[in-house]
Amino acid sequence: MKIRVLGCSGAIAAGSRTTAFLVDHDVLVDAGTGVGDLSLDELAQIDHILISHSHLDHILSIGLLADSVMRRRMAAGRPPIQVHALPQTLEALRQHIFNGVIWPDFTRLPSREQPVLQLRPFEVGQQLMLGGKTFEVLSAAHTVPAVGFGLKGADGWWIYTGDTGPNPLLWERLSEMTVAHLVIETAFSDDERQLARISRHLCPAALGHELGSLKGSVTVHITHIKPGEVDSVMQEVANLVTPHRIAALQAGQMIELA
C-alpha cells in the first residue's frame, strides 16, 4: 500500500497545502487543499473519504471533488463516493456545507436516488474495510469531535493522529499495536504553547511528553505546522530526547506500507 501526502500544512501559502492523504488510488484520508493537486482521472478513482473532524482545512475539498467528478462517475455507472466520519462531523457537513447556501447538497445531486456523495457514520474503535484495506478509527482530543486513523499493514500500522492535543486514550490503544509510521501534528512552537493548549493542538514540548508513551523506535512524521514556522518548530523538535526517528512531513512524500 502507498500513502501519498497531498497536503500536510496547518494553513495555506505558496507551496503549503492543508491535510490530505491518498491511500493507493481509492481512499482519501481528510480532504484539505492538497486534493487539488490530483488530476481529474485521479479524483474520479476515489471511492472513500475518511474525515477526521469538521474544521475547514480538513473538509473543504469534499464538495469541490464531488462537483468535479459527478458527471464522469455517473457516466461510468460508478456508485456514490462514501464519506465516513463521526455522526457529529456528518451533521456539521449537512448543516454548514451541503446546505444550498455555502455549497449545493451533493448528497442529493444529481438525484436523491443516485447522489454523488453518501455520508456514512462511524465510531471510535470501529474497524472499516475499504478497498481491501483495514482502517481503525482512533481517539483524538480536539475542540470539536475528532478522530485519528490507523491503516493496517503486514508489518505494522500507519497511524495518523488527526488534530489533537494531549490524548492518553490514543497511547493506550497504540500500546496494543505495532506502529510502523506515526503521523502526528505539532501545530505551534513552544513560544505559543498557551495557544496550543487552548486550541487543543501540540507544541514540541507537549509532543515530547506524548511520545514518551510510544514504545520502541518509530518513524515519526510531524504534520500540521503553520506556514513559515517549520524551521522553528522542527528545531525545537530536534532538541527532544527521544528514541524515535523524527522528521517533518512533506507534501508529495510517499510512504509505503507492506
Side-chain angles (χ1 to χ4, degrees):
M1 291 178 289
K2 294 184 178 180
I3 300 120
R4 178 178 167 188
V5 183
L6 302 177
C8 55
S9 178
I12 61 168
S16 297
R17 293 160 177 78
T18 66
T19 305
F21 304 92
L22 183 64
V23 182
D24 292 337
H25 64 280
D26 57 341
V27 180
L28 195 60
V29 177
D30 274 341
T33 62
V35 176
D37 285 343
L38 294 175
S39 69
L40 184 57
D41 286 342
E42 289 172 320
L43 291 172
Q45 293 183 64
I46 294 170
D47 292 323
H48 300 276
I49 305 174
L50 293 165
I51 297 298
S52 64
H53 66 293
S54 60
H55 282 163
L56 189 62
D57 55 325
H58 295 257
I59 67 166
L60 59 83
S61 286
I62 302 173
L64 296 170
L65 185 157
D67 195 18
S68 293
V69 305
M70 179 177 67
R71 297 153 194 83
R72 183 170 292 206
R73 287 183 68 93
M74 293 300 107
R78 300 285 297 281
I81 299 168
Q82 307 295 304
V83 180
H84 308 266
L86 290 170
Q88 302 96 315
T89 303
L90 297 180
E91 185 58 27
L93 291 175
R94 290 188 185 97
Q95 288 191 27
H96 303 299
I97 302 297
F98 301 118
N99 57 12
V101 177
I102 299 300
W103 202 246
D105 185 358
F106 280 99
T107 68
R108 300 185 179 191
L109 293 172
S111 69
R112 289 174 181 265
E113 296 73 26
Q114 292 184 307
V116 68
L117 297 178
Q118 284 186 340
L119 307 184
R120 299 292 189 188
F122 57 48
E123 59 186 23
V124 173
Q126 186 173 343
Q127 289 199 349
L128 308 171
M129 183 65 74
L130 307 176
K133 297 172 279 287
T134 300
F135 292 86
E136 182 168 327
V137 183
L138 301 171
S139 167
H142 199 36
T143 56
V144 295
V147 299
F149 299 105
L151 171 62
K152 187 176 183 180
D155 299 322
W157 291 77
W158 175 81
I159 302 295
Y160 162 55
T161 67
D163 285 12
T164 187
N167 183 15
L169 288 177
L170 173 66
W171 305 109
E172 182 178 323
R173 175 62 183 122
L174 295 191
S175 70
E176 303 169 337
M177 307 165 81
T178 300
V179 179
H181 294 270
L182 173 67
V183 176
I184 185 168
E185 69 117 281
T186 307
F188 298 101
S189 67
D190 285 339
D191 287 345
E192 296 183 303
R193 68 182 68 198
Q194 181 66 6
L195 178 57
R197 185 187 66 81
I198 293 170
S199 60
R200 305 194 81 175
H201 285 286
L202 295 177
C203 62
L207 171 71
H209 183 268
E210 295 295 284
L211 290 180
S213 299
L214 181 64
K215 63 184 180 182
S217 179
V218 174
T219 300
V220 176
H221 311 269
I222 304 301
T223 189
H224 211 278
I225 307 174
K226 302 299 180 182
E229 301 297 319
V230 174
D231 289 344
S232 59
V233 168
M234 290 309 299
Q235 181 57 58
E236 292 173 345
V237 169
N239 292 332
L240 297 175
V241 178
T242 175
H244 305 297
R245 305 174 298 278
I246 308 177
L249 199 63
Q250 303 287 333
Q253 187 172 340
M254 194 78 75
I255 299 172
E256 293 198 18
L257 198 63

